[in-house]
Amino acid sequence: MNDATVTLAADYPLLEVFWTTMWVFLWILWFMLLFRVITDIFRDDTLSGWAKAGWCVFVVVLPFLGVFVYLVARGRGMGERDRKQVERSEQQFRAYMRDAAGTTSRAEELGRLAELKNHGDLTPAEYEQAKAKVLAA
């Protein structure tokens, strides 16, 4: 093996490591922005199918120009669409939690039991048994 063709890590200067690292992170940033724009294109309900197809072709065929034109033309709405998506997700999560946990809390259940006892629908023994069951749950 020829000594001139062997490249050691020590032969790679520190500034070159910095520039290589910077370019790698810029490429990662670029791909994140590209996928973010494509996601926003498909998330937008106001665009027709043809408009979505046109933007996708523009972004895929001329990625740098397409992404920058999209950001200038429709960038303001990207944040609004994100905010609406987060609100929808949070509403769905809260609805799921309400359904999973049940609609009544322990305090509401105990209040209902006390009201039944006060009206005479439950005997004191039945009330104590039901209260113990609610508190144990």
Side-chain angles (χ1 to χ4, degrees):
M1 192 182 238
N2 190 353
D3 288 334
T5 61
V6 175
T7 303
L8 300 174
D11 294 335
Y12 201 61
L14 186 61
L15 188 60
E16 290 296 321
V17 171
F18 170 75
W19 284 114
T20 302
T21 305
M22 187 188 76
W23 282 112
V24 167
F25 281 112
L26 283 175
W27 273 105
I28 291 170
L29 178 69
W30 168 250
F31 280 113
M32 287 176 62
L33 182 62
L34 180 67
F35 292 131
R36 173 88 167 82
V37 165
I38 291 172
T39 302
D40 188 65
I41 290 170
F42 286 107
R43 181 180 289 165
D44 191 3
D45 294 333
T46 62
L47 286 177
S48 69
W50 287 106
K52 288 179 183 184
W55 276 113
C56 284
V57 166
F58 189 37
V59 167
V60 169
V61 172
L62 298 170
F64 288 106
L65 182 63
V67 166
F68 292 132
V69 169
Y70 186 84
L71 290 175
V72 169
R74 301 183 47 83
R76 183 179 306 253
M78 288 176 74
E80 185 69 24
R81 285 185 288 279
D82 271 348
R83 187 182 57 76
K84 287 180 183 177
Q85 176 66 28
V86 168
E87 286 175 356
R88 277 192 302 252
S89 296
E90 187 163 339
Q91 287 173 354
Q92 290 173 350
F93 175 73
R94 288 184 187 276
Y96 171 76
M97 291 303 292
R98 275 193 306 272
D99 290 344
T103 56
T104 59
S105 67
R106 286 183 182 176
E108 292 171 346
E109 188 69 23
L110 289 174
R112 188 178 63 80
L113 287 173
E115 187 176 315
L116 289 172
K117 179 186 160 205
N118 291 340
H119 286 322
D121 295 331
L122 290 177
T123 64
E126 291 173 332
Y127 170 74
E128 290 300 325
Q129 184 182 11
K131 183 171 92 170
K133 189 183 288 187
V134 168
L135 291 176

